């Protein structure tokens, strides 16, 4: 029987920084080897589901989701995010306890970061936000159903956060300071290009312009 929670990670040959495969986890683990080789590291062997789909994170998730059971909450966490199994379990529980839609763990002081507001704030349990980063978001099932159609709209992912906030009207979005995670590697997606030859910034600008034109 599937658990109530699901954690997906796109990981090179199933190598990931977090304690995702710990037997104490409350979540099913889904590992995608984005090289397409299907050669999985030892850490990935306990995963309930293993895939070898080439491609960037969000369009690949859109292809894989129909092959998974239904869960109450989902996390889509990059391979360079470190977090203990207790932190991950408690992030899922926090979403359930507070009825959150989309949220993330705050970033520890030793993390690489793109947005200062995502860094952990002392003496805070959680705080509302209008922006949940694409590297480690948690979704309720209802929020995922609403936002999943956007996953194929951006190859590199930049800008999806704005669409999710627009769809949810900022309701149930949060940064959880009580259970922070660590981003162990500097952001690399700013150097990527999509199949059109656009940089992440250019793709983001086009995505937002097209989204706003539909309103």
């Amino acid at each position: 029987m599937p658990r109530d929670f699901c954690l997906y990670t796109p990981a090179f040959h199933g190598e990931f920084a977090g304690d995702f495969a710990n037997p104490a986890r409350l979540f099913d683990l889904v590992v995608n080897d984005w090289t397409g080789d299907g050669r999985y590291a030892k850490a990935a062997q306990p995963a309930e589901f293993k895939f070898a789909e080439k491609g960037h994170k969000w369009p690949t998730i859109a292809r894989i989701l129909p092959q998974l059971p239904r869960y109450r909450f989902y996390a889509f966490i990059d391979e360079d995010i470190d977090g203990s199994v207790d932190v991950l379990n408690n992030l899922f529980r926090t979403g359930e306890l507070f009825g959150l839609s989309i949220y993330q763990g705050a970033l520890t002081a030793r993390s690489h970061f793109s947005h200062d507001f995502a860094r952990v704030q002392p003496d805070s349990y959680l705080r509302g936000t209008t922006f949940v980063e694409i590297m480690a978001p948690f979704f309720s099932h209802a929020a995922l159903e609403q936002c999943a159609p956007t996953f194929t709209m951006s190859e590199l992912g930049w800008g999806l956060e704005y669409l999710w906030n627009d769809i949810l009207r900022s309701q149930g979005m949060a940064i959880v300071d009580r259970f922070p995670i660590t981003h162990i590697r500097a952001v690399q997606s700013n150097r990527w290009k999509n199949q059109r030859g656009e940089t992440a910034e250019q793709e983001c600008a086009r995505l937002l312009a097209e989204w706003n034109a539909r309103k």
Side-chain angles (χ1 to χ4, degrees):
M1 290 289 293
R3 298 174 172 92
D4 287 339
F5 310 133
C6 172
L7 188 152
Y8 169 98
T9 186
F12 177 84
H13 292 163
E15 291 278 6
F16 39 78
D19 198 14
F20 299 161
N22 191 303
R25 58 194 162 91
L26 299 179
F27 49 87
D28 281 352
L29 176 61
V30 181
V31 176
N32 181 57
D33 173 16
W34 51 260
T35 70
D37 292 343
R39 293 189 288 118
Y40 304 102
K42 182 178 179 181
Q45 295 308 315
E48 279 72 28
F49 300 94
K50 293 191 282 289
F51 296 90
E53 292 274 345
K54 284 187 176 181
H56 289 287
K57 180 179 178 180
W58 294 101
T60 302
I61 290 172
R63 295 195 301 272
I64 287 175
L65 274 175
Q67 303 177 60
L68 300 177
R70 173 175 174 150
Y71 297 91
R72 295 180 66 181
F73 282 85
Y74 303 73
F76 302 105
I77 302 184
D78 289 351
E79 63 194 83
D80 60 350
I81 298 295
D82 191 11
S84 71
V85 70
D86 286 340
V87 163
L88 297 167
N89 285 344
N90 280 308
L91 282 168
F92 278 112
R93 287 177 174 138
T94 297
E96 194 169 43
L97 177 64
F98 289 91
L100 299 179
S101 298
I102 303 179
Y103 60 103
Q104 69 174 86
L107 297 178
T108 61
R110 63 188 180 91
S111 292
H112 293 275
F113 66 95
S114 300
H115 306 285
D116 191 65
F117 63 80
R119 302 177 79 186
V120 66
Q121 292 189 6
D123 304 319
S124 167
Y125 194 107
L126 61 79
R127 51 199 154 94
T129 187
T130 60
F131 193 96
V132 171
E133 297 175 287
I134 56 173
M135 64 184 180
F138 288 67
F139 286 75
S140 70
H141 179 80
L144 183 62
E145 283 192 317
Q146 291 178 272
C147 296
T150 67
F151 293 176
T152 57
M153 297 175 64
S154 171
E155 186 179 338
L156 304 180
W158 282 32
L160 289 179
E161 304 100 330
Y162 299 105
L163 274 55
W164 300 340
N165 177 63
D166 207 15
I167 291 168
L168 296 176
R169 301 180 183 274
S170 307
Q171 298 300 305
M173 299 180 65
I175 295 174
V176 182
D177 293 299
R178 178 66 181 82
F179 304 110
I181 55 179
T182 300
H183 190 194
I184 66 172
R185 190 169 63 201
V187 174
Q188 300 180 50
S189 56
N190 57 337
R191 300 195 296 270
W192 298 345
K193 289 189 176 180
N194 64 15
Q195 294 183 40
R196 295 188 181 199
E198 297 171 321
T199 65
E201 288 184 353
Q202 290 169 336
E203 184 183 57
C204 177
R206 177 175 56 81
L207 171 68
L208 296 181
E210 291 174 353
W211 180 261
N212 290 325
R214 297 180 183 187
K215 294 181 181 179

